Amino acid sequence: MDSNSSTVDPSNPDREDGEAVSIGRPADPCGRGLRLLTFVSCFIAGVVAWGVGETSLVRVEAKLVPLVTMGNKHEGTTAATERAALIATASRNSAVLGAALGLAMAAAGGLIRRKPAGALRAALTGAALGGVAGGLAALGSVTLYLKASPSFENDLIPSLIMHGAISIALGVVAAFAFGLGIGTDKTWGRRVQLLAGGGGGALLGAVAFQVVGGLLLPIDGTAEPISTTSQARFLSSVLVSSFTAIGAAAGFLNSKQPIIRTVADGRPIQSPQSLHR
């Protein structure tokens, strides 16, 4: 760009043809507020989901079946009933967390957009999508984990794959719900950045839980589909939720790249600088 050219408002009718114009994205006044609101919303969602997950609405007891031991008839659990209870509990737990994140992210986006009616519709849609995605992701991932984990010498690898797959599904849907609430344009690149931010953030949360949980809570079953203690389950819920918020907010804000154009002969054209963004 010519150093003698001035930077002006392209909407200015007094601009001369051939004059260089820089059109930049204005300073985002709600960037910090957006990050804070999404983080707080998701943190609360994680705490609420953890609380609901500790109730009988989510936690499924293994079914008692008639058994005969040394000629004595009694009722007890079997490996099959315990397995079914574990899968059901994990699926319900992820469904609750997915619904809470979808609702929270959509509502946060709608509040930022300052459209309460739209926020409500987006929140309901986000809760429904998050619940379905979380439940189905856990159902498939935990089932595969229980089948494949015995063949691994180290259970960390299948555990990371299982928790990572569930978390990515939760994060992507939460980011999608945020997009519904705040409103996004039809540019696929920006949509992908938002979804990738949510999914990537949730994955980082799952990895952080495995690392932190393994160090601080080594006997709490953090590698299992459902940790054995309440504090471990709390840590898992809030880490995945918080990192989802961080990732989705970063993906959304980073997708709003500055647009720099020059004006030549009265026609705006994209500058080389913006092509590299």
Side-chain angles (χ1 to χ4, degrees):
M1 184 178 296
D2 188 357
S3 60
N4 294 327
S5 300
S6 59
T7 300
V8 299
D9 184 355
S11 62
N12 185 355
D14 296 329
R15 164 179 54 80
E16 296 181 0
D17 289 347
E19 186 176 12
V21 178
S22 174
I23 304 175
R25 173 173 171 261
D28 185 359
C30 67
R32 292 182 179 178
L34 184 148
R35 289 188 173 94
L36 179 61
L37 182 57
T38 54
F39 180 84
V40 171
S41 299
C42 283
F43 184 86
I44 294 174
V47 173
V48 171
W50 165 77
V52 176
E54 297 300 301
T55 69
S56 58
L57 295 174
V58 173
R59 301 188 64 78
V60 179
E61 298 293 336
K63 184 179 180 180
L64 299 176
V65 296
L67 298 173
V68 177
T69 304
M70 299 181 65
N72 296 321
K73 295 182 178 180
H74 63 94
E75 289 188 337
T77 62
T78 65
T81 61
E82 291 175 357
R83 173 192 175 97
L86 178 60
I87 293 175
T89 299
S91 299
R92 293 185 184 187
N93 188 72
S94 292
V96 170
L97 180 57
L101 284 176
L103 188 151
M105 287 292 279
L111 290 176
I112 293 170
R113 196 180 182 185
R114 298 182 180 180
K115 290 190 175 182
L120 178 59
R121 290 193 298 269
L124 294 176
T125 303
L129 292 176
V132 172
L136 291 178
L139 176 63
S141 298
V142 174
T143 300
L144 291 175
Y145 168 81
L146 294 176
K147 291 182 179 179
S149 59
S151 62
F152 286 82
E153 294 183 1
N154 187 346
D155 62 352
L156 180 60
I157 295 176
S159 176
L160 280 174
I161 295 174
M162 173 193 61
H163 286 289
I166 297 171
S167 298
I168 289 173
L170 293 174
V172 168
V173 175
F176 179 78
F178 180 72
L180 290 179
I182 200 169
T184 56
D185 57 30
K186 297 181 179 180
T187 304
W188 278 105
R190 292 181 176 178
R191 290 179 176 178
V192 169
Q193 280 191 321
L194 173 60
L195 299 181
L203 177 60
L204 288 177
V207 173
F209 169 68
Q210 292 296 303
V211 174
V212 176
L215 293 175
L216 301 182
L217 306 169
I219 61 173
D220 288 16
T222 55
E224 298 299 318
I226 296 292
S227 300
T228 56
T229 63
S230 180
Q231 58 263 31
R233 293 190 289 270
F234 174 82
L235 182 63
S236 173
S237 184
V238 296
L239 281 178
V240 171
S241 300
S242 299
F243 275 87
T244 295
I246 295 171
F252 177 78
L253 292 174
N254 289 339
S255 70
K256 303 300 183 182
Q257 296 292 341
I259 300 174
I260 302 175
R261 293 184 176 91
T262 59
V263 176
D265 298 328
R267 294 181 297 106
I269 58 174
Q270 191 171 15
S271 70
Q273 293 91 331
S274 62
L275 296 175
H276 295 291
R277 285 187 164 85

